[in-house]
Amino acid sequence: MTNLHSFIDVNLLYECLDALNKKGAAGVDGQSWNDYNEQRDERVPQLLEQFKSGRYRAPAIRRTYIPKGDGKQRPLGSANGGGQGTANGSDQSVNPDL
């Protein structure tokens, strides 16, 4: 059985961070992509170390509701930069065609 940790490295997390929507809403921590990116050289290696050691816990998701054309609303969740980057890295490790 292969461990997912062996597929995720610093370069993959940097690629995933770069692929995020840079104009997206700030996450639950109030930080935008630009805020997170300013500290990327410190935060990405820390995130990887937490992930590989088993100490990483996915952050809370900020839930908001946006109106639909039929008058109903649909939920929209916003993670913080590290949470979204780690999720994208996991997805790419399992499904490299994404």
Side-chain angles (χ1 to χ4, degrees):
M1 186 163 135
T2 303
N3 189 332
L4 182 61
H5 295 169
S6 63
F7 294 103
I8 297 179
D9 62 14
V10 153
N11 292 327
L12 179 62
L13 290 179
Y14 280 127
E15 287 174 24
C16 292
L17 182 61
D18 289 338
L20 294 176
N21 180 357
K22 294 160 186 61
K23 295 181 181 178
V28 69
D29 60 359
Q31 289 199 322
S32 68
W33 183 91
N34 288 325
D35 296 333
Y36 195 91
N37 192 52
E38 287 176 4
Q39 302 170 354
R40 72 187 286 153
D41 291 334
E42 299 161 18
R43 296 182 75 174
V44 169
Q46 290 173 355
L47 182 64
L48 180 64
E49 193 277 323
Q50 289 175 354
F51 180 75
K52 289 194 174 208
S53 70
R55 292 182 295 124
Y56 175 76
R57 296 292 174 256
I61 303 293
R62 183 181 63 182
R63 172 124 359 229
T64 55
Y65 290 88
I66 59 174
K68 292 173 52 176
D70 61 3
K72 295 181 181 178
Q73 293 187 330
R74 79 170 181 90
L76 178 68
S78 298
N80 68 12
Q84 190 62 45
T86 305
N88 289 354
S90 298
D91 289 346
Q92 286 187 13
S93 296
V94 175
N95 296 310
D97 294 332
L98 290 178

